[in-house]
Amino acid sequence: MDRKEKYRVEVCFSPDEFDRYKQEYASVVAIDVLRATTAICAAFEHGVEKIIPVSTVEEAEAYREKGYLAAAERNGQIVEGFAFGNSPYSYMTPEVKGKTVVLTTTNGTRAINIAAKTHKVLIGSLINLQAVIDHLTEQPENVLLLASGWQGKFNLEDSICAGAVTDALIKSGKYMSDEDSTIAAMFLYRKARENYFGFLKASSHRRRLRNLNLNEDIKYCLTPNQTEVLPVYRDGALVILK
Ligand code: 3SL
């Protein structure tokens, strides 16, 4: 396939840079490995029907007051007054099966909502890595992988996951890339792929979560291909793409 005929895949390292990238893509894959997009995929895997991602705690409170099941996380911790945050394990209980959950998190739901204003949004994580790759290989389109980062800054885990998707799409022969961010993400992925847990040992978010005794969450989030679900944003909520 000639380079000019190929689809484009690129990586944006932070929602704060999204405006510089956004024009050319048919869809955006929002990624927040630790832990929002992992928790979202785990929730669908365990029977949640729909997730409404909101950017602020106030919005989540407003939904909760209307009787919705609402979850809120800030700085790695459950926000006071909410029954749960974004630990993937919170979504593995019968109480959430078949339900709509409203979710706000520090970075992940913000990235989703920024991208959803202008684009079709898919949800990516390491736990549904192959599902993302398979979908984009079978139905190729110009795609941007948006790392949620941490408060507007670069982070390693989302960049590695974006690099894993990019690496596979380029190997499929259907995709090309032009941006240095994409090359950097692929380099990081190739360095990390034998042992994500070890590679990320010193990373800021792993340290943050470890200090909150969330090591089990980290292990779950860094274990690839535990589910085939592929959530997509449709009419204000996330649902499983059929
Ligand atoms: O930033 C986010 O959206 C969260 O996933 C952060 S944390 O993993 O809960 O700390």
Side-chain angles (χ1 to χ4, degrees):
M1 212 175 180
D2 195 280
R3 190 175 157 85
K4 280 194 228 113
E5 294 163 28
K6 292 189 183 191
Y7 293 90
R8 188 162 174 184
V9 56
E10 304 292 1
V11 175
C12 172
F13 284 138
S14 155
D16 286 15
E17 291 178 5
F18 182 63
D19 277 350
R20 299 203 176 96
Y21 285 81
K22 70 182 180 190
Q23 293 82 2
E24 309 162 29
Y25 305 95
S27 67
V28 171
V29 180
I31 299 171
D32 186 2
V33 169
L34 295 174
R35 296 168 288 168
T37 59
T38 305
I40 290 167
C41 293
F44 284 115
E45 172 68 21
H46 290 85
V48 166
E49 180 81 16
K50 213 186 240 193
I51 297 179
I52 302 175
V54 297
S55 300
T56 66
V57 172
E58 291 71 27
E59 286 170 273
E61 276 166 352
Y63 272 104
R64 193 187 53 191
E65 276 155 27
K66 284 188 221 153
Y68 280 82
L69 194 58
E73 167 276 334
R74 283 296 177 273
N75 299 318
Q77 291 178 292
I78 300 172
V79 177
E80 213 185 308
F82 288 84
F84 51 107
N86 67 345
S87 168
Y89 290 106
S90 310
Y91 300 90
M92 298 179 190
T93 65
E95 289 100 287
V96 298
K97 244 193 158 94
K99 296 265 169 62
T100 294
V101 177
V102 176
L103 175 66
T104 183
T105 73
T106 311
N107 307 288
T109 54
R110 178 173 170 253
I112 293 166
N113 285 324
I114 287 174
K117 280 186 198 145
T118 46
H119 287 76
K120 180 175 97 190
V121 177
L122 301 166
I123 299 298
S125 66
L126 287 173
I127 73 162
N128 73 337
L129 179 62
Q130 197 56 47
V132 174
I133 293 167
D134 289 347
H135 173 75
L136 292 170
T137 310
E138 283 155 23
Q139 294 177 47
E141 57 188 358
N142 291 336
V143 62
L144 181 69
L145 304 165
L146 174 61
S148 297
W150 181 261
Q151 298 181 340
K153 295 186 200 164
F154 170 89
N155 80 18
L156 275 174
E157 64 276 8
D158 297 341
S159 309
I160 287 168
C161 181
V165 177
T166 311
D167 194 64
L169 294 185
I170 289 180
K171 279 190 186 132
S172 76
K174 296 179 182 173
Y175 286 85
M176 50 70 76
S177 90
D178 270 339
E179 300 278 358
D180 287 359
S181 54
T182 312
I183 298 170
M186 285 192 291
F187 279 144
L188 283 171
Y189 159 66
R190 288 174 197 160
K191 274 276 174 209
R193 66 182 158 194
E194 301 305 330
N195 181 1
Y196 295 122
F197 201 73
F199 187 85
L200 290 166
K201 205 171 192 141
S203 73
S204 58
H205 203 46
R206 230 204 99 175
R207 226 179 317 122
R208 210 174 285 123
L209 294 179
R210 200 171 42 222
N211 290 340
L212 296 169
N213 287 322
L214 292 169
N215 247 331
E216 286 312 306
D217 279 26
I218 300 172
K219 280 186 201 150
Y220 180 84
C221 294
L222 298 184
T223 305
N225 301 326
Q226 302 183 66
T227 174
E228 289 175 6
V229 301
L230 181 54
V232 61
Y233 187 93
R234 217 175 256 151
D235 303 326
L238 297 166
V239 291
I240 298 181
L241 181 72
K242 292 279 180 235

